[in-house]
Amino acid sequence: MNDSTLSGVDAQNQTTIERRGDRELVVTRTFNAPPSAVYKAWSRPELFRRWWAPKSIPGISLASCEMDVRTGGKYRLEFGAEGSETMAFYGKYLDVAPNERIVWTNDEGEDGAVTTVTFEDRDGKTLLTYHEVYPSKEALDDALEGSAAALPEQLNQLDDLLAGKDR
């Protein structure tokens, strides 16, 4: 993903993606569900695993999903593709305020970001803001070519889950 695709709104799903400076990424999306429902989808492993793995990548799945979503809790996600070894992502929750905010570290490498997701009530809908701060410009550049590039698809899948269309 290059810088020219980082700002703007996808008219179909209202996902905005903005690179702020050298180290920050901000993604926003409004969901037709209350913050409590969107928070549940981010904090309950049985729901999270239904939407987090991008379906457009053939054979990839969330093979393991361990989440203790509370301040001081930890998580570990393992992605696998058919016939290959898994890739683990893990860290700890720095701050959790149910239905309002989840802040976590990404500890799988020295270039890991700190991620904050907020859930803001907008007349029964939820404005979700996904904010990541990376330790360097290079770390953000790498993320934009990898995991962060899948965020619009993942948020579409979350929208489908919330609307009951994920089956």
Side-chain angles (χ1 to χ4, degrees):
M1 180 180 285
N2 62 42
D3 286 350
S4 66
T5 63
L6 294 179
S7 288
V9 176
D10 179 331
Q12 179 182 356
N13 61 24
Q14 299 300 305
T15 299
T16 63
I17 301 172
E18 179 185 0
R19 180 179 187 148
R20 293 186 183 165
D22 287 343
R23 299 178 38 230
E24 292 183 65
L25 177 67
V26 179
V27 179
T28 60
R29 168 82 177 244
T30 299
F31 293 95
N32 293 322
S36 60
V38 182
Y39 174 83
K40 269 186 211 175
W42 281 85
S43 60
R44 294 196 179 166
E46 69 274 12
L47 296 174
F48 189 83
R49 69 182 318 137
R50 288 171 52 186
W51 66 271
W52 189 250
K55 293 178 182 170
S56 68
I57 303 172
I60 192 123
S61 66
L62 191 49
S64 175
C65 180
E66 300 169 19
M67 301 167 64
D68 180 11
V69 184
R70 62 181 174 82
T71 301
K74 295 183 178 185
Y75 74 92
R76 182 177 179 84
L77 309 174
E78 289 188 37
F79 289 88
E82 295 171 7
S84 71
E85 292 185 29
T86 60
M87 177 184 285
F89 295 88
Y90 53 90
K92 59 188 167 291
Y93 295 102
L94 301 175
D95 183 26
V96 176
N99 305 323
E100 295 177 17
R101 165 181 69 260
I102 304 173
V103 182
W104 68 87
T105 64
N106 296 273
D107 295 339
E108 60 276 351
E110 56 189 52
D111 287 337
V114 173
T115 305
T116 301
V117 175
T118 59
F119 312 91
E120 183 182 332
D121 184 30
R122 294 280 176 98
D123 296 323
K125 296 181 180 184
T126 301
L127 173 62
L128 180 130
T129 302
Y130 180 97
H131 180 248
E132 288 192 308
V133 178
Y134 288 84
S136 67
K137 176 187 182 303
E138 295 74 25
L140 175 55
D141 290 345
D142 288 346
L144 289 170
E145 293 298 325
S147 60
L151 280 169
E153 179 180 359
Q154 290 167 295
L155 295 178
N156 285 342
Q157 291 172 182
L158 173 56
D159 198 40
D160 288 346
L161 173 73
L162 293 166
K165 299 186 232 174
D166 72 314
R167 302 276 172 189

